C-alpha cells in the first residue's frame, strides 16, 4: 500500500497536466487546484490517505528541488524593478498581522488567561512561519495544550485560505487593486506551455538531467552548509542558501538556457500540492477547541482584509499583494504553487525573498506584540 500511495503522490501531477492539455474544465481551473483538491480527497478517504510522515517527506523533498529548477531562468535585473512595491506590501502585511492579532486578542481577553501569548504566537506564524510560532510559545512558556491546539487551528484555517488563494483570490483582488504590469505569464515560461510542450529530444533530455543534477547539488550544499555552520538542519537557512545559490546560477547563460528546467520545477510544485493537500484532515477541525479555532480564523480574516485595504490605499497591484500575503501567512514553500495559480512567474523571487524575511523578523514581532499586550 505504501508504494501505491507514493505513486499517487508523485504520479498524479502527470495526469493533471495531461488532463489540462486535453480537457477544457481542467485547463480553466488549473493543475494546481486539481492536484490540491485530489490531495485533500486522498487525505480524507480511509484506506487511501497516506501516513502523515510520508506526505511530509514528499512535500519537504519537492520544494527544495523545485526552487532552483524554477529560479534558474530568472531575469534578476527585471525583478529588481519590482522590489519597492514588494517590500512595501510585505511591511503592510506584517503590520496587518500585528494589529489584527492584538485586536482579536483584546476582544477575547476574558476567554483565556493565555490570550496575549496566543496573539504573539499568531503574529509569529502570520509574519514568519510555524517555527516562529513555536519559538514564541516556548519563550512565553505557553501551556502544551494551547500550543497543540493553536498549531492544529493554524493548519485548518491555512488550508481554507490556501484554497482561496489558488482559486478565486486573483479575480476578487482585481476588483479593487491594479493589475500587475506586464507579467511574464507562467504558461509562457521558456516557451514551454502545458499545451504545446515539445517532445523529448536528446538535447532536451540532457538539459533536464543537467538542471536536475545542478538543483540537487545546490540543495546538498545548502543542507551541508546549515549542518556545518549551525550544527543542524535549519529550514530558513537552507531555503535562504538554496535561493541565493540558484539566483547566482541564473546569471550564467548556460544555466539560464537549460531546456526543461522550468517544466521539472513546475512538476515538483504539483507533487507538493498533492502531498500537502493530504495533510488537510477534516477530523482535525473536530479536535480543535472552538475558541482557539475562532481566535485563529478571526486573526487571519482581519489580517488579510486589512492588508488588502492598505494595498488598495497605496495602489499595490493584486499579484504583489497576493504573493506577499502568501509569503507572510504560509512562508516560502507555498510561493511556487500560488505563483503558478496566479500565472505569473515573476512572483517567485519576490515571494521567496519576503518569505525568508518573514522568518527573520517573525519571532521579534510576535514577542513584541505579546509583551505589549501582557496584562
Amino acid at each position: 500500500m505504501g508504494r501505491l500511495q507514493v505513486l499517487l503522490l508523485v504520479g498524479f501531477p502527470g495526469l493533471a497536466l495531461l488532463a489540462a492539455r486535453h480537457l477544457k474544465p481542467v485547463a480553466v481551473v488549473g493543475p494546481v487546484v486539481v492536484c490540491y483538491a485530489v490531495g485533500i480527497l486522498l487525505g480524507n478517504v480511509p484506506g487511501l490517505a497516506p501516513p502523515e510522515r510520508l506526505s511530509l517527506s514528499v512535500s519537504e523533498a519537492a520544494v527544495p528541488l523545485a526552487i532552483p529548477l524554477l529560479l534558474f531562468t530568472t531575469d534578476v535585473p527585471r525583478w529588481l524593478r519590482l522590489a519597492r512595491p514588494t517590500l512595501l506590501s510585505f511591511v503592510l502585511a506584517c503590520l496587518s498581522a500585528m494589529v489584527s492579532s492584538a485586536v482579536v486578542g483584546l476582544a477575547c481577553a476574558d476567554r483565556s488567561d493565555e490570550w496575549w501569548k496566543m496573539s504573539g504566537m499568531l503574529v509569529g506564524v502570520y509574519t514568519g512561519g510555524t517555527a516562529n510560532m513555536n519559538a514564541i510559545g516556548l519563550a512565553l512558556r505557553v501551556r502544551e495544550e494551547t500550543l497543540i491546539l493553536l498549531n492544529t487551528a493554524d493548519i485548518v484555517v491555512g488550508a481554507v485560505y490556501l484554497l482561496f488563494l489558488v482559486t478565486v483570490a486573483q479575480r476578487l483582488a482585481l476588483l479593487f487593486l491594479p493589475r500587475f504590469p506586464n507579467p511574464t505569464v507562467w504558461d509562457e515560461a521558456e516557451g514551454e506551455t502545458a499545451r504545446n510542450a515539445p517532445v523529448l529530444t536528446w538535447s532536451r533530455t540532457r538539459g533536464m538531467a543537467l538542471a536536475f543534477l545542478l538543483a540537487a547539488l545546490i540543495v546538498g550544499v545548502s543542507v551541508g552548509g546549515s549542518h556545518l555552520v549551525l550544527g543542524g538542519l535549519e529550514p530558513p537557512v537552507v531555503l535562504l542558501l538554496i535561493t541565493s545559490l540558484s539566483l547566482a546560477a541564473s546569471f550564467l547563460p548556460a544555466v539560464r538556457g537549460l531546456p526543461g528546467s522550468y517544466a521539472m520545477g513546475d512538476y515538483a510544485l504539483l507533487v507538493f500540492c498533492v502531498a500537502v493537500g493530504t495533510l488537510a484532515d477534516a477530523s482535525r477541525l473536530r479536535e480543535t477547541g472552538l475558541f482557539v479555532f475562532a481566535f485563529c480564523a478571526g486573526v487571519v480574516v482581519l489580517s488579510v482584509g486589512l492588508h488588502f485595504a492598505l494595498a488598495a490605499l497605496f495602489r499595490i497591484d493584486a499579484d504583489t499583494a497576493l504573493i506577499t500575503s502568501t509569503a507572510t501567512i504560509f512562508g516560502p514553500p507555498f510561493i511556487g504553487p500560488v505563483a503558478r495559480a496566479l500565472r505569473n512567474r515573476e512572483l517567485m523571487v519576490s515571494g521567496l525573498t519576503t518569505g525568508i524575511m518573514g522568518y527573520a523578523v517573525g519571532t521579534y514581532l510576535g514577542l513584541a506584540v505579546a509583551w505589549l499586550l501582557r496584562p
Side-chain angles (χ1 to χ4, degrees), residues 37 46 75 83 111 144 168 174 196 199 234 257 260 320 332 341 370:
D75 184 350
R111 297 292 303 275
E144 185 176 353
V168 300
L174 285 172
N196 301 300
V199 296
E234 295 291 338
T320 296

Side-chain angles (χ1 to χ4, degrees), residues 11 30 48 100 203 235 271 316 332:
L48 283 180
S100 301
S203 61
V271 171
I316 295 170

Side-chain angles (χ1 to χ4, degrees), residues 297-337:
V299 171
V300 171
V301 171
L302 187 58
S303 176
V304 171
L306 181 57
H307 177 210
F308 280 93
L310 291 172
L313 179 64
F314 287 91
R315 303 301 296 163
I316 295 170
D317 67 88
D319 287 7
T320 296
L322 287 167
I323 207 65
T324 48
S325 179
T326 304
T328 50
I329 291 181
F330 294 108
F334 289 82
I335 294 301

Side-chain angles (χ1 to χ4, degrees), residues 47-363:
L48 283 180
E52 184 172 317
R53 181 177 297 179
L54 174 61
S55 296
L56 286 171
S57 297
V58 172
S59 63
E60 290 170 358
V63 170
L65 280 174
I67 289 174
L69 290 169
L70 293 171
L71 291 185
F72 285 160
T73 58
T74 300
D75 184 350
V76 175
R78 177 178 170 84
W79 173 79
L80 289 175
R81 295 196 292 271
L82 308 174
R84 184 179 176 277
T86 299
L87 182 59
L88 175 59
S89 183
F90 171 72
V91 171
L92 295 177
C94 290
L95 180 63
S96 299
M98 296 171 70
V99 171
S100 301
S101 294
V103 169
V104 173
L106 289 168
C108 300
D110 59 340
R111 297 292 303 275
S112 170
D113 61 332
E114 292 194 306
W115 65 271
W116 57 279
K117 297 180 182 179
M118 292 168 60
S119 290
M121 291 169 67
L122 289 180
V123 171
V125 74
Y126 295 139
T127 57
T130 303
N132 300 89
M133 177 170 69
N134 292 333
I136 294 167
L138 291 173
L140 298 176
R141 297 182 180 179
V142 70
R143 286 193 293 269
E144 185 176 353
E145 178 188 1
T146 302
L147 187 64
I148 294 172
L149 287 175
L150 206 57
N151 272 280
T152 305
D154 172 52
I155 292 171
V156 175
V157 173
V160 175
Y161 184 52
L162 181 61
L163 187 60
F164 169 74
L165 283 171
V166 299
T167 52
V168 300
Q170 187 181 43
R171 288 195 290 273
L172 292 178
L174 285 172
L175 295 176
F176 57 91
L177 293 178
R179 190 173 294 274
F180 187 93
N182 303 317
T184 303
V185 180
W186 191 281
D187 285 342
E188 294 174 355
E190 296 183 302
E192 298 173 356
T193 67
R195 302 167 191 262
N196 301 300
V199 296
L200 285 178
T201 62
W202 166 246
S203 61
R204 181 175 172 79
T205 303
R206 178 175 174 273
M208 292 172 71
L210 289 174
F212 181 83
L213 289 174
L214 181 57
L217 177 62
I218 287 175
V219 172
V221 169
S222 301
V223 171
S226 175
H227 278 282
L228 183 64
V229 177
L230 301 175
L233 187 64
E234 295 291 338
V237 175
V238 172
L239 287 171
L240 177 60
L241 288 172
I242 289 175
T243 301
S244 301
L245 292 174
S246 301
L247 288 175
S250 74
F251 281 94
L252 300 175
V255 172
R256 199 162 55 246
L258 285 172
S261 169
Y262 217 91
M264 287 194 299
D266 190 24
Y267 192 92
L269 286 182
L270 296 179
V271 171
F272 172 82
C273 289
V274 178
V276 81
T278 64
L279 297 173
D281 186 351
S283 65
R284 286 177 170 169
L285 183 58
R286 296 191 297 270
E287 298 168 1
T288 305
L290 182 59
F291 164 69
V292 176
F293 174 78
F295 194 108
C296 186
V299 171
V300 171
V301 171
L302 187 58
S303 176
V304 171
L306 181 57
H307 177 210
F308 280 93
L310 291 172
L313 179 64
F314 287 91
R315 303 301 296 163
I316 295 170
D317 67 88
D319 287 7
T320 296
L322 287 167
I323 207 65
T324 48
S325 179
T326 304
T328 50
I329 291 181
F330 294 108
F334 289 82
I335 294 301
V338 174
R340 192 190 197 287
L342 297 176
R343 304 182 189 279
N344 188 343
R345 60 181 293 194
E346 292 180 59
L347 300 175
M348 280 291 300
V349 180
S350 301
L352 288 169
T353 302
T354 50
I356 291 170
M357 288 169 61
Y359 282 150
V361 303
T363 302

